[in-house]
Amino acid sequence: MRVVFLSDTHLGIDLPVRPRVQRRPRGEDFFDNLDRVLDHAVETRADLVLHGGDLFFRSKVPPSIVDRVYQRLTRFADGGIPLGVIAGNHERSALPTSLLLRHQNIHVFHQPSTHVFSLAGRKLAVTGVPFTGDQGLFLAAAHDAPVLEVEHHLLLAHEAFEGATVGPNDFTFRKRRDTVPLAALPERFDAVLSGHIHRRQVLWRAREDGTRMPIVFAGSIERTSFAEAGEEKGFAVVELGERRRLRFVDLPTRPLVDWRERIEGAPHDRAGDDLGP
Ligand SMILES: [Mn+2]
């Protein structure tokens, strides 16, 4: 069983509905990379695609962008591969409602809940927990997940987990209310797939039997800020079954150069500062 996992697509970012300046906005790059992930799933005949939240760039999205995104997802789902989506913090834990999402192959986790996908006769359960930003709420939902007779069970999240790192200075999440301690996680899932952390990485939670459960962050599909300037972007492919494997797939990104910083760093510009207002 092969699951394509992506998150933090932030669709609609830098995509002016009525452009006022002559500049190539980066918004189309995010749509292009969404296309690449979905095309990859079709070409490799993935069993399931899961989205770990922050589908859109903010909670109020222009209707033209909502329609564009949902039409793309619906066109993908028409091909027969099911798609599961949770809401992230940028959607304030609730995706814009649309009739388009009432597709038989699209499952939206509007609240913490478990959905069983039947994939070529095999059953894969996904417990989806939309963004909480609160370790107590998140852990309660994760521990509440039903124990089911299925081949595999994944936990789909949009949270910070203890030990996750972000930014040019490797800020590390720990001991915060919004950060989930790994040891408190239920260990019975095959894997935790989470959005929210924009840098791709894997954390491990040791199980009592000596094995370990991966917490996988696919990262954002394009750079959403300068804090991500040095990061590779892409998505994850999770293989479940006898052979368990995790692979990150790169996507093309546009280089970000902090032009202002370079100018301020030049000596003649510093001299220019002395002229005063
Ligand atoms: Mn995000």
Side-chain angles (χ1 to χ4, degrees):
M1 239 183 256
R2 208 150 17 80
V3 179
V4 166
F5 172 52
L6 77 161
S7 75
D8 297 273
T9 43
H10 288 251
L11 296 163
I13 193 174
D14 200 15
L15 197 69
V17 178
R18 284 177 294 278
R20 289 193 191 128
V21 287
Q22 285 290 325
R23 157 177 94 78
R24 188 176 141 220
R26 294 174 62 242
E28 292 297 337
D29 297 1
F30 289 75
F31 276 91
D32 289 348
N33 276 356
L34 173 69
D35 283 343
R36 289 184 177 104
V37 181
L38 298 178
D39 288 347
H40 177 96
V42 172
E43 283 157 19
T44 61
R45 300 166 81 181
D47 295 292
L48 173 69
V49 174
L50 291 175
H51 192 298
D54 280 0
L55 179 64
F56 296 102
F57 72 124
R58 61 177 191 211
S59 56
K60 278 199 179 150
V61 188
S64 59
I65 290 173
V66 174
D67 287 348
R68 185 176 168 191
V69 172
Y70 286 177
Q71 273 164 18
R72 182 66 186 93
L73 298 184
T74 303
R75 186 153 48 89
F76 169 77
D78 282 342
I81 300 175
L83 170 69
V85 186
I86 61 166
N89 53 310
H90 282 268
E91 292 106 7
R92 300 222 184 90
S93 312
L95 288 166
T97 47
S98 166
L99 287 173
L100 286 171
L101 285 193
R102 293 201 188 163
H103 190 291
Q104 58 167 357
N105 283 336
I106 298 179
H107 185 85
V108 181
F109 296 89
H110 289 290
Q111 57 262 317
S113 53
T114 299
H115 182 78
V116 178
F117 292 92
S118 285
L119 309 169
R122 292 173 300 174
K123 286 181 159 55
L124 184 145
V126 177
T127 295
V129 183
F131 174 74
T132 68
D134 181 292
Q135 54 164 278
L137 286 176
F138 176 81
L139 287 167
H143 283 275
D144 269 356
V147 177
L148 300 166
E149 297 229 346
V150 291
E151 280 186 58
H152 300 290
H153 197 158
L154 298 170
L155 179 59
L156 183 63
H158 190 92
E159 309 287 337
F161 288 78
E162 176 190 18
T165 56
V166 293
N169 301 317
D170 292 336
F171 173 83
T172 305
F173 285 88
R174 52 178 105 252
K175 292 196 194 328
R176 292 155 47 125
R177 187 177 156 177
D178 69 356
T179 300
V180 182
L182 299 191
L185 275 172
E187 58 168 65
R188 63 190 176 83
F189 297 102
D190 292 82
V192 181
L193 309 181
S194 185
H196 195 44
I197 302 294
H198 284 195
R199 179 193 289 184
R200 68 161 63 148
Q201 58 200 282
V202 187
L203 306 171
W204 298 93
R205 185 252 197 261
R207 294 193 185 97
E208 266 186 34
D209 66 0
T211 63
R212 39 186 209 160
M213 177 175 75
I215 296 102
V216 180
F217 300 91
S220 49
I221 58 165
E222 238 294 10
R223 297 173 182 127
T224 63
S225 76
F226 278 107
E228 301 170 50
E231 299 176 2
E232 291 288 341
K233 294 298 169 188
F235 58 99
V237 179
V238 181
E239 233 173 282
L240 300 166
E242 275 174 33
R243 192 168 63 169
R244 296 177 167 242
R245 283 200 311 190
L246 167 69
R247 194 159 56 86
F248 288 113
V249 181
D250 291 342
L251 290 170
T253 53
R254 223 197 282 193
L256 289 186
V257 176
D258 194 340
W259 185 251
R260 288 159 302 168
E261 192 174 56
R262 291 189 172 195
I263 291 173
E264 280 158 19
H268 61 270
D269 268 81
R270 270 193 227 123
D273 288 345
D274 294 339
L275 292 172

